[in-house]
Amino acid sequence: MRQDIDILVIGAGACGLAAAIAGHDAGASVAIVEKRASPGGNSSLSTGSIPGAGTRYQRAAGIEDSPARLIEDLMRIAGETDCPELVQHLAEQSAPTVEWLVDCVGARLSLVTAYKHVGHSVQRLHAPTSRRGQDLVDDLLAGVARRGIPLAVGNGVDQLIAADNAVVGARLKTASGESSSVHAAKTILAVNGYAGNAALVRRFCPEIAGAPYFGALGSTGEAVLWGEALGAAFANIGAYQGYAAVADPHGSLLSWTTIEKGGIIVNAAGRRFGDESAGYSGFTPNVLAEAAPRYAIFDQKMYDVAALEEEFVELARRGGFKAAATVQELAKLLDIDPATLAATVVDAQRSARGDFADAFGRRDFGLGPLHQRLYGCRVVPGLFHTQGGLAIDLDGRVLDSKARPIPNLFAGGGAAGGLSGRSGAAGYASGNGLLSAIALGRLAGLAAAAEVRGENP
Ligand SMILES: Cc1cc2nc3c(=O)[nH]c(=O)nc-3n(C[C@H](O)[C@H](O)[C@H](O)COP(=O)(O)OP(=O)(O)OC[C@H]3O[C@@H](n4cnc5c(N)ncnc54)[C@H](O)[C@@H]3O)c2cc1C
């Protein structure tokens, strides 16, 4: 049979770019195809934060961490999961992945020490200083370019080519409708999940089906559809990451640091409606259940920490929130009853001081209690990406319903079963998306190259 290339990588987000670099460095010929006019996908929209448990950066900062501790954190948050071995494996791979990004790819990452973020018991997120995923994607793209790996944008795969149920390549379609095919020994699906496909969201994550989608347009679920047609099994298919605080109407993220460090979220009446420490994803269903408008309320201390993030500074510059010296003044600016908002803030201050148990069970108020100067931002909930997909083994081989690999087919990142539990938004810990994208991309690239060399598992 004709073969154009050893490894065809479909999708040029973090997973695909990492897979291509790893496969190339392991000696295989690799090509990447991307359906959008530019690469990056959701990875570009992210904050570029990836957990690494036990990295040399943590040791230098005096932070004690280990894969075992990350596994404990992830499992505590994720609850029931279809793939506990994957959680364990990716936790073990997290520090080597971060160090590989820096040492082999040339990514400019540093340890985030200002906050831990949702789900993590120690500082272990590593991110570009800008906190922009685009910087991480640019570094991966530079690694791809340095190696001379071909990357064809505007070339979407519309069908996998299979022979006797083994995948042997893919059919491409350009935006102008021209078709061609690429035959490859191994194919890696790095096309992310299905959050941009309303029918699949309704099928697998009905609770979030009404929320606006804030991720990249390319995430339209082809891995799920192609995999299903080939008899692949699904894993954690109902899990997703929501975001409880998209600034409205600006459409950019209100940094969750404002809430994690002691801010609260109130409804139109000025009352809280849940434990915000559930995290930006876990709190999303609470916000969805509350009629609009809802507001995030935070103070200057929280603002100052969030201001380390470029997107927050940009949101401030665009007038994304109102500021006031007193709670009554802020309530007027937000059109909330001043007495009710004042009572809510007083209650939150008492909970933060530990005067009494918080009515919603929140224990961590960060830099609270809230104090002037106060800020208010109207927020809406959003769907960011799905966290489940094709069942895979620990090297990203796609598995059928009897856990047998579908020959030549690999998947990683949002295309594969993730780390965030079986269903819903509560299982998402910060960095789960990029950890499964980059660690699995790298592992799939290495395993595909090993199979090309004839080293079958
Ligand atoms: C606003 C936001 C913030 C986030 N912040 C973080 C964070 O800080 N840390 C974290 O871990 N996660 C974060 N996430 C989640 C994270 O971005 C994703 O989990 C991760 O980027 C997925 O990587 P990926 O490579 O699988 O997919 P993507 O980066 O989306 O790449 C998939 C690529 O495949 C292309 N593609 C799709 N279908 C086809 C096709 N048929 N043919 C060819 N190409 C195709 C797409 O166009 C896209 O370019 C965030 C998400 C959002 C939306």
Side-chain angles (χ1 to χ4, degrees):
M1 174 157 324
R2 176 185 132 201
Q3 190 188 304
D4 304 309
I5 195 96
D6 290 336
I7 302 175
L8 174 65
V9 176
I10 307 176
C15 178
L17 298 172
I21 291 172
H24 171 278
D25 289 359
S29 62
V30 184
I32 313 169
V33 291
E34 163 59 49
K35 74 174 167 190
R36 306 280 306 162
S38 54
N42 255 20
S43 305
S44 295
L45 303 180
S46 77
T47 62
S49 310
I50 173 169
T55 64
R56 60 178 187 258
Y57 310 104
Q58 288 176 305
R59 283 195 296 282
I63 293 164
E64 264 187 49
D65 197 10
S66 64
R69 187 165 181 173
L70 176 54
I71 293 165
E72 209 180 300
D73 286 350
L74 291 178
M75 294 303 274
R76 186 183 60 248
I77 288 259
E80 302 255 297
T81 172
D82 290 335
C83 20
E85 300 85 7
L86 189 67
V87 176
Q88 178 169 341
H89 190 52
L90 294 191
E92 285 160 358
Q93 287 294 320
S94 64
T97 300
V98 167
E99 295 185 4
W100 173 78
L101 278 170
V102 174
D103 298 339
C104 295
V105 177
R108 295 155 296 166
L109 295 177
S110 53
L111 178 67
V112 178
T113 50
Y115 53 80
K116 293 184 240 175
H117 255 354
V118 181
H120 299 288
S121 57
V122 292
Q123 282 97 338
R124 60 164 75 99
L125 291 179
H126 300 70
T129 42
S130 61
R131 308 281 188 270
R132 286 191 187 273
Q134 184 65 54
D135 284 356
L136 178 56
V137 167
D138 286 346
D139 290 343
L140 283 158
L141 283 169
V144 162
R146 262 197 315 278
R147 288 165 173 82
I149 300 169
L151 161 57
V153 295
N155 276 275
V157 168
D158 69 349
Q159 196 177 304
L160 296 181
I161 304 171
D164 296 331
N165 212 41
V167 174
V168 294
R171 198 178 70 181
L172 307 183
K173 210 163 206 170
T174 62
S176 55
E178 289 157 47
S179 284
S180 59
S181 57
V182 179
H183 285 77
K186 308 290 160 192
T187 297
I188 299 179
L189 302 181
V191 295
N192 205 5
Y194 57 84
N197 180 326
L200 290 179
V201 173
R202 272 196 305 279
R203 178 175 163 199
F204 294 120
C205 307
E207 72 178 23
I208 192 77
Y213 171 53
F214 282 99
L217 296 176
S219 305
T220 42
E222 285 92 324
V224 167
L225 299 170
W226 296 332
E228 192 167 38
L230 287 167
F234 295 146
N236 292 335
I237 190 75
Y240 67 92
Q241 185 204 342
Y243 198 83
V246 178
D248 183 39
H250 303 78
S252 63
L253 309 195
L254 170 68
S255 166
W256 195 253
T257 302
T258 57
I259 305 301
E260 183 180 297
K261 291 291 181 188
I264 56 174
I265 298 187
V266 301
N267 59 18
R271 295 197 176 88
R272 286 174 65 214
F273 46 87
D275 173 5
E276 299 89 347
S277 67
Y280 49 72
S281 184
F283 200 63
T284 304
N286 301 58
V287 179
L288 257 180
E290 205 65 31
R294 315 87 166 172
Y295 298 95
I297 311 287
F298 51 97
D299 74 9
Q300 189 66 45
K301 302 185 290 297
M302 299 144 202
Y303 181 112
D304 290 343
V305 184
L308 296 171
E309 299 166 35
E310 279 183 13
E311 189 166 356
F312 180 83
V313 175
E314 176 72 12
L315 181 61
R317 200 187 55 72
R318 291 165 63 207
F321 25 83
K322 310 258 193 258
T326 65
V327 63
Q328 287 81 4
E329 203 184 303
L330 184 68
K332 279 189 204 136
L333 291 174
L334 300 178
D335 202 18
I336 299 177
D337 174 53
T340 310
L341 187 62
T344 298
V345 168
V346 166
D347 277 354
Q349 287 170 326
R350 287 185 180 148
S351 297
R353 277 196 299 265
D355 295 350
F356 54 64
D358 181 57
F360 300 99
R362 180 167 173 179
R363 287 158 191 253
D364 185 354
F365 281 83
L367 301 171
L370 285 165
H371 219 281
Q372 63 213 9
R373 166 184 182 94
L374 290 166
Y375 295 86
C377 176
R378 195 168 67 210
V379 294
V380 291
L383 170 60
F384 274 8
H385 55 103
T386 50
Q387 276 286 289
L390 302 175
I392 51 168
D393 73 6
L394 299 183
D395 288 317
R397 289 181 193 86
V398 175
L399 304 175
D400 68 11
S401 56
K402 295 200 169 118
R404 294 170 306 204
I406 293 175
N408 307 334
L409 188 62
F410 293 77
L419 304 171
S420 308
R422 202 163 272 157
S423 64
Y428 188 80
S430 288
N432 278 5
L434 285 176
L435 178 57
S436 51
I438 298 174
L440 271 173
R442 174 172 171 248
L443 291 168
L446 291 173
E451 286 192 14
V452 167
R453 291 194 303 270
E455 298 165 20
N456 288 317

